[in-house]
Amino acid sequence: MCGITGWVSFDRELRSASETLDAMTETMSCRGPDDRGTWLSGPAGLGHRRLAIIDLPGGRQPMTLDTPRGTLALVYSGETYNFTELRRELTGRGHRFTTESDTEVVLHGYLEWGEAVAERLNGMYAFAIWDGRQQKLVMIRDRMGIKPFYYYPTVDGVLFGSEPKAILANPLARARVALDGLRELFAFVKTPGHAVWDGMHEVEPGTVVTVDRGGLRRHVYWSLETRPHTDDQATTVAKVRTLLDDIVRRQLVADVPRCTLLSGGLDSSAMTALAARQLAGSGEKVRSFSVDFVGRTENFVADELRTTPDAPFVHDVATASGTEHEDIVLDSYALADPEVRGRMIRARDLPLGFGDMDASLYLLFRAVRQKSTVALSGESADEVFGGYLQFFDEEARQAEMYPWLVRFEQYFGDDANVLRSEVSTALSLPGFLRDSYATAVAGVERLAGESDFEYRMRRICHLHLTRFVRMLLDRKDRASMAVGLEVRVPFCDHRLVEYVYNTPWSMKSFDGREKSLLREATADVLPRSVYDRVKSPYPSTQDPKYAIALQEHAKQLLADPSHRVFDLVDPARVRRAAERDTPQITTASRRGLERTLDLALWLDLYNPVITLS
């Protein structure tokens, strides 16, 4: 896993711009603490920061390959899990390799197949190739959008990077956010291709973007397609298990210490148990980590979303699978620490408002990184197999709206309630979301003969896999790479996603519960307690000390009424939330305070130009 960046300027010679390219590259130092490199030739410059995972001495980048017609130069971030098979095929076609890295396989794959190499890769990746033969830049992103990738067109070329901060380090890019960008911050929906920053775009998942003197072109090489599902239930369960065994085997490959992230839920427990079984064959043990809060298990209070604490289930799995387990236990002061909040905002380049759940994720990853370089996560199983409450909520099923937003305020509070009225009016979020939803569902293909109910559930599954999970994948990538930890997501393997997406909802929930297929496919490796457990989301602290700390930080902010944040946020609303007695701090009040503090820090760190037009 790494950080990549680059600059193509067809009207100039970039070798004189090495300092700017160095500055862009250094913004990615957290993503790649092990090595750095830049490459400049004519109108192209590439930068790379490396986190060494496979072939530690041999995978240095930028990696080049000379041909009779010109040089190919590659910067690559991610992992290709089928690189050994591709290497074997390419060797049979006459290619010769000098390293054991998957990076070199991708470079030779491009030489052999061109842009179509993307269709042959199984993995998580974002990479750019300067093709000196045709004087063009080719940018390719993985199918599910696991690895981030941004670009910024210029008058004579393009800037690109793993994160916006790399692009913003170039003087050609302006740190500006317009009304559409602000909507993305508050809508809790990820619009494909939108990067929030004005003029900047994402390379969309499953897409190739090519830039040459003739301009910029996009080509979609993969999308979530509707296909008939002909397997019966038993065959489907068996197929899911076969896929999972293969996926976990591939994603355990690394030349550095690896571990699993274990929450005690079905997803991470199944993944951990499968990994433990596979490693046991070679005499290895899985190392596992979980996050918890001081006093949470002893003082746990059930709510609509979380009916049980995680720790007892975590320990059941660790015992059953024989993992070397460690609980990372956090206190409220660490969760509310402004320094931690600032690190997450720097990691994400945006104030996206997950509050204590952002802080705890960052602190968990920082602790894990002290002992492992690669971690396997259960992320995205809920979207693939249907694990959220909204999949079973009739109101959410029937609503002409993103299903996760139907009860969002009820469960999490409205963090937009602190905005100034004129800002709320300008954002017009209800209308924006209606239009966004209509666009999103318009592209969902209906299977011939599919019932109205099955088609509605297909649409809900499609929305989660194309609009919802990408927010979570981006969050996990940014938080982990901020500390140099590579997090792999087995449930995002495109083969599994395609197969389960096209499985009828009646089969996905054949026992009336969430994630029926996953539960049955891994029943033999799960403790009974986990098999029977009801879905519980990522934990959030219940300690009132956290809310009190937020209030104190908000009061300090209110002491500076000239702060730019109050151009967006209503200070009177913030003050009411900051002065509430502790028992009266509602979820909405807490989220409003978190959002305000995030916005203030973001404005301080990035000094963006904000326009409400």
Side-chain angles (χ1 to χ4, degrees), residues 283-332:
E284 290 186 73
K285 280 192 170 185
V286 168
R287 172 170 278 171
S288 59
F289 294 89
S290 66
V291 67
D292 202 358
F293 307 113
V294 173
R296 178 178 173 82
T297 301
E298 299 83 358
N299 303 308
F300 181 80
V301 178
D303 59 29
E304 291 179 279
L305 290 178
R306 302 172 181 89
T307 58
T308 52
D310 289 343
F313 301 93
V314 166
H315 298 154
D316 285 350
V317 176
T319 300
S321 294
T323 74
E324 295 178 2
H325 182 74
E326 183 176 345
D327 294 321
I328 306 302
V329 183
L330 308 174
D331 63 45
S332 294

Side-chain angles (χ1 to χ4, degrees), residues 27 37 58 150 158 185 221 223 240 260 281 288 294 301-302 312 338 380 449 455 487 490 537 539:
T27 65
Y150 297 85
V158 71
L185 293 181
Y221 71 89
S223 60
V240 168
T260 67
S288 59
V294 173
V301 178
S380 82
Y455 178 54
V487 174

Side-chain angles (χ1 to χ4, degrees), residues 396-556:
R397 285 173 168 177
Q398 297 298 327
E400 293 299 318
M401 179 48 61
Y402 292 107
W404 56 88
L405 295 181
V406 171
R407 298 192 189 277
F408 189 85
E409 289 185 29
Q410 174 184 337
Y411 294 143
F412 301 106
D414 179 11
D415 61 356
N417 66 354
V418 294
L419 294 176
R420 301 182 73 96
S421 59
E422 61 269 28
V423 175
S424 294
T425 299
L427 289 177
S428 187
L429 288 178
F432 168 75
L433 287 168
R434 283 194 300 272
D435 292 344
S436 173
Y437 173 80
T439 300
V441 297
V444 183
E445 184 183 359
R446 185 170 188 166
L447 190 67
E450 194 168 44
S451 70
D452 290 346
F453 174 74
E454 282 288 352
Y455 178 54
R456 180 164 286 278
M457 295 311 297
R458 179 183 293 280
R459 294 202 308 180
I460 289 174
C461 292
H462 195 281
L463 291 171
H464 279 84
L465 290 166
T466 60
R467 295 298 195 277
F468 187 77
V469 76
R470 293 176 186 176
M471 291 185 287
L472 303 185
L473 291 172
D474 185 74
R475 169 177 175 258
K476 183 148 288 182
D477 174 89
R478 301 299 192 87
S480 61
M481 294 308 293
V483 298
L485 176 70
E486 173 174 297
V487 174
R488 299 177 177 178
V489 279
F491 293 108
C492 273
D493 185 291
H494 71 278
R495 298 169 298 162
L496 182 69
V497 172
E498 290 172 346
Y499 185 75
V500 178
Y501 170 68
N502 283 297
T503 302
W505 180 254
S506 58
M507 196 177 291
K508 286 190 180 81
S509 57
F510 65 81
D511 60 0
R513 300 183 60 191
E514 78 281 1
K515 294 179 285 194
S516 305
L517 290 175
L518 176 59
R519 183 180 294 102
E520 200 62 27
T522 57
D524 62 309
V525 296
L526 294 172
R528 188 70 200 189
S529 60
V530 173
Y531 181 91
D532 291 335
R533 190 186 185 194
V534 175
K535 160 72 182 174
S536 184
Y538 184 86
S540 178
T541 183
Q542 296 179 329
D543 189 348
K545 296 190 190 72
Y546 173 72
I548 293 171
L550 291 180
Q551 288 181 306
E552 289 304 313
H553 297 153
K555 289 174 183 175
Q556 294 169 18

